[in-house]
Amino acid sequence: EVWNEPNQQVFMSPNSPRLYVQRLLNPVYVQLHLRNPANRVAGGATSPRPTQSALSPVAFMRGMRAAHARLDAYSHHPYPITRGERPFGFAPGVCHYCKGILTLANLPELIKEVRRDFGPKRIWLTEYGYQTNRAKRYGVSEAAQARYLQDAALRVRQAPYVDILIQFLVKDEAAY
């Protein structure tokens, strides 16, 4: 996986899909495949939502396609955008597909967007999880976390083109 959430300025500045593809993704892809053709390179590693300093994953994908991204898989971090969001659905009143948001709750949209921009590439979900500190914006109870992680594994197992789901927040980050 090349870089982490390059659609966010906190991880890559400027957060330009063209620069990401030209200076990072494509050179790494070429070198890793020269060293061993069996290597698999994932590009994207996008965060699920736009912010004041982040491009939406959909906009970033479009920019990657325009820059002729070379990748074997598209990676994405489909974290929830609300406390009530579950792997199989959004909380009542939450838009299912707003402003380029791609979470596990709308996994079919992510698959559609990846196929639109990159064809039949595989999808790797390389960060996912729920904080259990209820004081935090997205925090859920430990019982809810366990249930949601089970549902996430089932959702990914049933999804076409998705090969990997990596749990990142099984234990809350130390800062929280």
Side-chain angles (χ1 to χ4, degrees):
E1 181 178 73
V2 179
W3 217 253
N4 179 60
E5 298 185 355
N7 61 321
Q8 290 196 40
Q9 282 185 354
V10 69
F11 295 114
M12 191 172 120
S13 184
N15 56 344
S16 161
R18 181 182 56 78
L19 293 177
Y20 168 72
V21 168
Q22 290 175 351
R23 295 184 184 172
L24 293 171
L25 180 61
N26 285 358
V28 167
Y29 179 92
V30 169
Q31 289 302 310
L32 287 175
H33 279 273
L34 282 174
R35 292 189 190 334
N36 184 345
N39 283 333
R40 294 293 162 250
V41 178
T46 44
S47 69
R49 62 191 156 273
T51 65
Q52 288 182 332
S53 66
L55 296 172
S56 79
V58 173
F60 204 81
M61 274 189 239
R62 296 290 184 279
M64 287 177 60
R65 182 186 70 197
H68 308 289
R70 299 180 70 181
L71 50 91
D72 299 304
Y74 187 83
S75 60
H76 183 65
H77 304 161
Y79 287 111
I81 58 168
T82 66
R83 184 179 305 222
E85 184 180 325
R86 296 174 291 289
F88 281 103
F90 287 91
V94 176
C95 176
H96 287 39
Y97 187 54
C98 296
K99 300 177 187 171
I101 292 170
L102 296 173
T103 70
L104 202 57
N106 65 351
L107 183 58
E109 293 295 332
L110 171 63
I111 294 167
K112 180 182 89 175
E113 295 296 339
V114 169
R115 293 189 58 77
R116 177 186 187 274
D117 288 330
F118 306 111
K121 298 294 182 187
R122 306 307 295 181
I123 297 170
W124 297 354
L125 305 176
T126 53
E127 274 189 34
Y128 186 71
Y130 292 86
Q131 297 273 359
T132 58
N133 182 340
R134 300 276 297 155
K136 290 295 170 187
R137 183 175 177 185
Y138 302 115
V140 299
S141 70
E142 289 181 2
Q145 180 195 50
R147 190 170 52 255
Y148 296 169
L149 294 182
Q150 289 174 13
D151 289 348
L154 179 61
R155 177 105 201 235
V156 168
R157 185 174 174 1
Q158 295 172 344
Y161 311 107
V162 181
D163 297 326
I164 296 172
L165 173 65
I166 297 175
Q167 304 295 332
F168 181 67
L169 293 171
V170 173
K171 182 177 178 184
D172 288 354
E173 294 175 290
Y176 300 134

